[in-house]
Amino acid sequence: MILRALTLAGGLAGATASSQFPEFSQQYIQRLGGAVDALSGVVADFDASAAAVGLSRDDALAQMQGTDFLERRRKDMTVTFDRYARLRSDLDLLKSQGPFMRAYHMPNLTDPEIARAAWAEYQPAVPLNFAGAVFAAVGFVMGLAVLGIVLRVLSWPFRRRPADPAMGA
């Protein structure tokens, strides 16, 4: 009886946790859009400065050498351009997706800075829509299964074995 109650608790915990994904992913995408907008301004400013003196982005980066500051700035800008391209690609992929496809594309929800910011502002809530219900149901089944398996494995050494009829007579 205790194992069944614990398994049910595991299912409820799984339902509660997974039902939060649709809203958290929405918060993540909003923050992702803000990050892309901010980086877009930095990239556009650098490209405009380079174009003003007749250079491409790569040529301007190549000229950033000779002092420790310029070398460091070149590396910083290269990281910024790479991050902008990655985040822009993630945003293009995710912005038109519903919660089920966002779950499918979860590897694109992995920018640590954006995830921390979204988590810091996130407020858990009870989802009262279809997607929240489906995620809750999946989480419930997964929680039941995982905790059920763990509890069965842990209780296995303590199970009573049926008496052998040949030995009891």
Coordinates of all heavy atoms in Angstrom, one line a residue, residues 31-93:
R31 N 12.4 35.8 -24.0 CA 13.7 36.3 -23.6 C 14.7 36.1 -24.8 O 15.6 36.9 -25.0 CB 14.2 35.5 -22.4 CG 13.4 35.9 -21.2 CD 14.3 36.2 -20.0 NE 13.5 36.6 -18.9 CZ 13.6 37.8 -18.4 NH1 14.5 38.6 -18.8 NH2 12.9 38.2 -17.4
L32 N 14.6 35.0 -25.5 CA 15.4 34.7 -26.7 C 15.2 35.8 -27.7 O 16.2 36.3 -28.3 CB 15.1 33.3 -27.3 CG 15.8 32.9 -28.5 CD1 17.3 32.8 -28.3 CD2 15.2 31.6 -29.0
G33 N 14.0 36.2 -27.9 CA 13.7 37.3 -28.9 C 14.4 38.6 -28.4 O 14.9 39.4 -29.2
G34 N 14.3 38.9 -27.1 CA 15.0 40.1 -26.6 C 16.5 40.1 -26.8 O 17.1 41.1 -27.1
A35 N 17.1 38.9 -26.5 CA 18.5 38.7 -26.7 C 18.9 38.9 -28.1 O 19.9 39.6 -28.5 CB 19.0 37.4 -26.2
V36 N 18.1 38.3 -29.1 CA 18.4 38.5 -30.5 C 18.3 39.9 -30.9 O 19.2 40.5 -31.6 CB 17.5 37.6 -31.3 CG1 17.6 37.9 -32.8 CG2 17.8 36.1 -31.1
D37 N 17.3 40.6 -30.4 CA 17.2 42.1 -30.7 C 18.4 42.9 -30.2 O 18.9 43.7 -30.9 CB 15.9 42.6 -30.1 CG 14.6 42.2 -30.8 OD1 14.7 41.6 -31.9 OD2 13.5 42.3 -30.2
A38 N 18.8 42.6 -29.0 CA 20.0 43.3 -28.4 C 21.2 43.0 -29.2 O 22.0 43.9 -29.5 CB 20.2 42.9 -27.0
L39 N 21.5 41.8 -29.5 CA 22.7 41.4 -30.3 C 22.6 41.9 -31.7 O 23.6 42.3 -32.3 CB 22.9 39.9 -30.3 CG 23.3 39.3 -28.9 CD1 23.3 37.8 -29.0 CD2 24.7 39.8 -28.5
S40 N 21.4 42.0 -32.3 CA 21.2 42.5 -33.6 C 21.8 44.0 -33.7 O 22.4 44.3 -34.7 CB 19.8 42.5 -34.0 OG 19.6 43.1 -35.2
G41 N 21.5 44.8 -32.6 CA 22.0 46.1 -32.6 C 23.5 46.2 -32.6 O 24.1 47.0 -33.3
V42 N 24.1 45.3 -31.8 CA 25.6 45.3 -31.7 C 26.2 44.9 -33.0 O 27.2 45.5 -33.5 CB 26.0 44.3 -30.6 CG1 27.5 44.1 -30.6 CG2 25.6 44.8 -29.2
V43 N 25.6 43.8 -33.7 CA 26.1 43.4 -35.0 C 26.0 44.4 -36.0 O 26.9 44.7 -36.8 CB 25.4 42.1 -35.3 CG1 25.7 41.7 -36.8 CG2 25.8 40.9 -34.4
A44 N 24.8 45.1 -36.1 CA 24.5 46.1 -37.1 C 25.5 47.3 -36.9 O 26.0 47.9 -37.9 CB 23.1 46.6 -37.0
D45 N 25.8 47.7 -35.6 CA 26.7 48.8 -35.4 C 28.1 48.4 -35.8 O 28.7 49.3 -36.5 CB 26.7 49.1 -33.9 CG 27.5 50.3 -33.5 OD1 27.3 51.3 -34.1 OD2 28.4 50.2 -32.7
F46 N 28.5 47.2 -35.5 CA 29.9 46.8 -36.0 C 30.0 46.8 -37.5 O 30.9 47.3 -38.1 CB 30.2 45.4 -35.4 CG 31.6 45.0 -35.8 CD1 32.7 45.3 -34.9 CD2 31.9 44.3 -36.9 CE1 34.0 44.9 -35.2 CE2 33.2 43.9 -37.2 CZ 34.3 44.2 -36.4
D47 N 29.0 46.2 -38.2 CA 28.9 46.1 -39.6 C 28.9 47.5 -40.2 O 29.5 47.8 -41.3 CB 27.8 45.3 -40.1 CG 27.9 43.8 -39.8 OD1 29.1 43.4 -39.5 OD2 26.9 43.1 -39.9
A48 N 28.1 48.4 -39.6 CA 28.1 49.8 -40.2 C 29.4 50.5 -40.0 O 29.8 51.2 -41.0 CB 27.0 50.6 -39.5
S49 N 30.1 50.3 -38.9 CA 31.4 50.9 -38.7 C 32.4 50.4 -39.7 O 33.2 51.1 -40.3 CB 31.9 50.7 -37.3 OG 31.1 51.3 -36.4
A50 N 32.3 49.1 -40.0 CA 33.2 48.5 -41.0 C 32.9 49.0 -42.4 O 33.8 49.3 -43.1 CB 33.1 46.9 -40.9
A51 N 31.6 49.0 -42.7 CA 31.3 49.5 -44.0 C 31.6 51.0 -44.3 O 32.0 51.4 -45.4 CB 29.8 49.3 -44.2
A52 N 31.6 51.8 -43.2 CA 31.9 53.2 -43.3 C 33.4 53.4 -43.8 O 33.7 54.4 -44.4 CB 31.7 53.9 -42.0
V53 N 34.2 52.4 -43.5 CA 35.6 52.6 -44.0 C 35.9 51.6 -45.1 O 37.1 51.3 -45.3 CB 36.6 52.4 -42.8 CG1 36.5 53.6 -41.8 CG2 36.4 51.1 -42.0
G54 N 34.9 51.0 -45.7 CA 35.0 50.1 -46.8 C 35.5 48.7 -46.5 O 36.1 48.1 -47.4
L55 N 35.2 48.2 -45.3 CA 35.6 46.9 -44.9 C 34.4 46.0 -44.8 O 33.3 46.4 -44.4 CB 36.4 46.9 -43.6 CG 37.7 47.7 -43.6 CD1 38.2 47.7 -42.2 CD2 38.7 47.0 -44.6
S56 N 34.6 44.7 -45.0 CA 33.6 43.7 -44.7 C 33.8 43.4 -43.2 O 34.7 43.8 -42.6 CB 33.7 42.4 -45.5 OG 34.9 41.8 -45.1
R57 N 32.8 42.6 -42.6 CA 33.0 42.2 -41.2 C 34.3 41.5 -41.0 O 35.0 41.7 -40.0 CB 31.8 41.4 -40.8 CG 31.8 40.9 -39.4 CD 30.7 39.9 -39.0 NE 29.4 40.5 -39.1 CZ 28.3 39.8 -39.1 NH1 28.3 38.6 -38.9 NH2 27.1 40.5 -39.2
D58 N 34.5 40.5 -41.9 CA 35.7 39.7 -41.7 C 37.0 40.5 -41.8 O 38.0 40.3 -41.1 CB 35.7 38.5 -42.7 CG 34.7 37.5 -42.4 OD1 34.3 37.3 -41.2 OD2 34.2 36.8 -43.3
D59 N 37.0 41.4 -42.8 CA 38.2 42.3 -43.0 C 38.4 43.2 -41.7 O 39.5 43.4 -41.3 CB 38.0 43.2 -44.2 CG 38.1 42.3 -45.5 OD1 38.7 41.2 -45.5 OD2 37.6 42.8 -46.5
A60 N 37.3 43.7 -41.2 CA 37.4 44.6 -40.0 C 37.9 43.8 -38.8 O 38.8 44.2 -38.1 CB 36.0 45.2 -39.7
L61 N 37.4 42.5 -38.7 CA 37.9 41.7 -37.6 C 39.4 41.4 -37.8 O 40.2 41.4 -36.8 CB 37.1 40.4 -37.5 CG 35.7 40.5 -36.9 CD1 35.0 39.1 -37.1 CD2 35.8 40.8 -35.4
A62 N 39.8 41.2 -39.0 CA 41.2 40.8 -39.3 C 42.1 42.0 -38.9 O 43.3 41.8 -38.6 CB 41.4 40.5 -40.7
Q63 N 41.6 43.2 -39.1 CA 42.4 44.4 -38.7 C 42.5 44.7 -37.2 O 43.3 45.5 -36.8 CB 41.9 45.7 -39.4 CG 42.2 45.7 -40.9 CD 41.8 47.0 -41.5 OE1 41.6 48.0 -40.8 NE2 41.9 47.1 -42.9
M64 N 41.7 44.0 -36.5 CA 41.7 44.2 -35.0 C 42.9 43.4 -34.4 O 42.6 42.3 -33.8 CB 40.4 43.8 -34.4 CG 39.3 44.7 -34.9 SD 37.6 44.3 -34.3 CE 37.7 44.9 -32.6
Q65 N 44.1 43.8 -34.5 CA 45.2 43.2 -34.0 C 46.3 44.2 -33.7 O 46.2 45.3 -34.1 CB 45.7 42.0 -34.9 CG 46.0 42.5 -36.3 CD 46.4 41.3 -37.2 OE1 46.7 40.2 -36.7 NE2 46.3 41.5 -38.5
G66 N 47.3 43.7 -33.0 CA 48.4 44.6 -32.7 C 48.6 45.0 -31.3 O 49.7 45.2 -30.8
T67 N 47.4 45.1 -30.6 CA 47.5 45.4 -29.1 C 46.7 44.3 -28.4 O 45.8 43.7 -29.0 CB 47.0 46.8 -28.8 OG1 45.5 46.8 -29.0 CG2 47.6 47.9 -29.6
D68 N 46.9 44.2 -27.1 CA 46.1 43.2 -26.3 C 44.7 43.6 -26.3 O 43.8 42.7 -26.4 CB 46.7 43.2 -24.9 CG 48.0 42.6 -24.7 OD1 48.4 41.8 -25.7 OD2 48.7 42.8 -23.7
F69 N 44.4 44.9 -26.3 CA 43.0 45.3 -26.3 C 42.3 44.9 -27.6 O 41.2 44.4 -27.6 CB 42.8 46.8 -26.0 CG 41.4 47.3 -26.2 CD1 40.5 47.1 -25.2 CD2 41.0 48.0 -27.3 CE1 39.2 47.5 -25.3 CE2 39.7 48.4 -27.5 CZ 38.8 48.2 -26.5
L70 N 42.9 45.2 -28.7 CA 42.3 44.9 -30.0 C 42.1 43.4 -30.2 O 41.1 43.0 -30.7 CB 43.1 45.5 -31.1 CG 43.0 47.0 -31.3 CD1 44.0 47.5 -32.4 CD2 41.6 47.4 -31.6
E71 N 43.1 42.6 -29.8 CA 43.0 41.2 -29.9 C 41.8 40.7 -29.0 O 41.0 39.8 -29.5 CB 44.3 40.5 -29.4 CG 45.5 40.7 -30.2 CD 45.5 39.9 -31.5 OE1 44.7 38.9 -31.6 OE2 46.2 40.3 -32.5
R72 N 41.7 41.2 -27.8 CA 40.6 40.8 -26.9 C 39.3 41.2 -27.5 O 38.3 40.5 -27.5 CB 40.8 41.4 -25.6 CG 39.8 40.9 -24.6 CD 40.0 41.4 -23.2 NE 39.0 40.9 -22.3 CZ 39.2 39.9 -21.5 NH1 40.4 39.3 -21.4 NH2 38.3 39.5 -20.7
R73 N 39.2 42.4 -28.1 CA 38.0 42.9 -28.6 C 37.6 42.1 -29.9 O 36.4 41.8 -30.1 CB 38.1 44.4 -29.0 CG 36.8 45.0 -29.4 CD 35.9 45.1 -28.1 NE 34.6 45.6 -28.5 CZ 33.5 45.1 -28.1 NH1 33.5 44.2 -27.2 NH2 32.4 45.6 -28.5
R74 N 38.6 41.7 -30.7 CA 38.3 40.9 -31.8 C 37.7 39.5 -31.4 O 36.7 39.1 -32.0 CB 39.6 40.6 -32.6 CG 39.3 39.7 -33.9 CD 40.6 39.6 -34.7 NE 41.7 39.2 -34.0 CZ 42.0 37.9 -33.6 NH1 41.2 36.9 -34.0 NH2 43.1 37.6 -33.0
K75 N 38.3 38.9 -30.4 CA 37.7 37.6 -29.9 C 36.3 37.8 -29.3 O 35.4 37.0 -29.6 CB 38.6 37.1 -28.8 CG 40.0 36.5 -29.3 CD 40.8 36.0 -28.2 CE 42.2 35.7 -28.7 NZ 43.1 35.3 -27.6
D76 N 36.1 38.9 -28.6 CA 34.8 39.2 -28.0 C 33.7 39.4 -29.1 O 32.6 38.9 -29.0 CB 34.8 40.4 -27.1 CG 35.6 40.3 -25.8 OD1 35.8 39.1 -25.5 OD2 35.9 41.3 -25.2
M77 N 34.1 40.1 -30.2 CA 33.2 40.3 -31.3 C 32.9 39.0 -32.0 O 31.8 38.8 -32.4 CB 33.7 41.4 -32.2 CG 33.6 42.8 -31.6 SD 32.0 43.3 -30.9 CE 31.0 43.2 -32.4
T78 N 33.9 38.2 -32.2 CA 33.7 36.9 -32.8 C 32.7 36.0 -32.0 O 31.8 35.4 -32.6 CB 35.1 36.2 -33.0 OG1 35.9 37.0 -33.8 CG2 34.9 34.8 -33.7
V79 N 32.9 36.0 -30.7 CA 31.9 35.3 -29.9 C 30.5 35.9 -30.0 O 29.6 35.1 -30.1 CB 32.4 35.3 -28.4 CG1 31.3 34.8 -27.4 CG2 33.7 34.5 -28.2
T80 N 30.4 37.2 -30.0 CA 29.1 37.8 -30.2 C 28.5 37.5 -31.5 O 27.3 37.2 -31.5 CB 29.3 39.4 -30.1 OG1 29.8 39.7 -28.8 CG2 28.0 40.1 -30.3
F81 N 29.3 37.5 -32.6 CA 28.7 37.1 -33.9 C 28.2 35.7 -33.9 O 27.2 35.4 -34.4 CB 29.7 37.4 -35.0 CG 30.1 38.8 -35.2 CD1 31.4 39.1 -35.5 CD2 29.1 39.8 -35.2 CE1 31.8 40.5 -35.7 CE2 29.5 41.1 -35.4 CZ 30.8 41.5 -35.6
D82 N 29.0 34.8 -33.3 CA 28.6 33.4 -33.3 C 27.4 33.2 -32.4 O 26.5 32.4 -32.8 CB 29.8 32.5 -32.7 CG 31.0 32.5 -33.6 OD1 30.8 32.8 -34.8 OD2 32.1 32.1 -33.1
R83 N 27.3 33.8 -31.3 CA 26.1 33.7 -30.4 C 24.9 34.3 -31.1 O 23.8 33.7 -31.1 CB 26.4 34.4 -29.1 CG 25.2 34.2 -28.1 CD 25.5 34.7 -26.7 NE 24.4 34.3 -25.8 CZ 23.7 35.2 -25.2 NH1 23.9 36.5 -25.3 NH2 22.7 34.8 -24.4
Y84 N 25.1 35.4 -31.8 CA 23.9 36.0 -32.5 C 23.4 35.1 -33.5 O 22.2 34.9 -33.7 CB 24.4 37.4 -33.1 CG 23.3 37.9 -34.0 CD1 22.1 38.5 -33.5 CD2 23.5 37.9 -35.4 CE1 21.2 39.0 -34.4 CE2 22.5 38.4 -36.2 CZ 21.4 39.0 -35.7 OH 20.4 39.5 -36.5
A85 N 24.3 34.5 -34.3 CA 23.9 33.5 -35.4 C 23.1 32.3 -34.8 O 22.1 31.9 -35.3 CB 25.1 33.1 -36.2
R86 N 23.7 31.8 -33.7 CA 23.0 30.6 -33.0 C 21.7 31.0 -32.5 O 20.7 30.3 -32.7 CB 24.0 30.1 -31.9 CG 23.4 28.9 -31.2 CD 24.4 28.3 -30.2 NE 25.1 29.3 -29.4 CZ 24.6 29.8 -28.3 NH1 23.5 29.4 -27.9 NH2 25.3 30.7 -27.6
L87 N 21.6 32.1 -31.7 CA 20.3 32.5 -31.1 C 19.3 32.9 -32.2 O 18.1 32.6 -32.1 CB 20.5 33.6 -30.2 CG 21.3 33.3 -28.9 CD1 21.4 34.5 -28.0 CD2 20.8 32.1 -28.2
R88 N 19.7 33.5 -33.2 CA 18.8 33.9 -34.3 C 18.3 32.7 -35.0 O 17.1 32.6 -35.3 CB 19.6 34.8 -35.4 CG 18.8 35.2 -36.5 CD 17.9 36.3 -36.1 NE 16.8 36.3 -36.9 CZ 15.8 37.2 -36.8 NH1 15.8 38.1 -35.9 NH2 14.8 37.1 -37.6
S89 N 19.1 31.7 -35.2 CA 18.6 30.4 -35.8 C 17.6 29.7 -34.9 O 16.6 29.2 -35.3 CB 19.8 29.5 -36.0 OG 19.4 28.2 -36.5
D90 N 17.9 29.7 -33.6 CA 17.0 29.1 -32.6 C 15.7 29.8 -32.6 O 14.6 29.2 -32.6 CB 17.6 29.1 -31.2 CG 18.7 28.1 -31.0 OD1 18.9 27.3 -31.9 OD2 19.4 28.2 -29.9
L91 N 15.7 31.2 -32.6 CA 14.5 31.9 -32.6 C 13.7 31.7 -33.9 O 12.4 31.5 -33.8 CB 14.8 33.4 -32.5 CG 13.6 34.4 -32.4 CD1 12.7 34.0 -31.2 CD2 14.0 35.8 -32.4
D92 N 14.3 31.7 -35.0 CA 13.6 31.4 -36.3 C 12.9 30.1 -36.2 O 11.8 29.9 -36.7 CB 14.6 31.5 -37.5 CG 15.0 32.9 -37.8 OD1 14.4 33.9 -37.3 OD2 16.1 33.0 -38.5
L93 N 13.6 29.1 -35.6 CA 13.0 27.7 -35.5 C 11.8 27.7 -34.5 O 10.8 27.1 -34.8 CB 14.1 26.7 -35.1 CG 13.6 25.3 -34.9 CD1 13.2 24.7 -36.2 CD2 14.7 24.5 -34.2

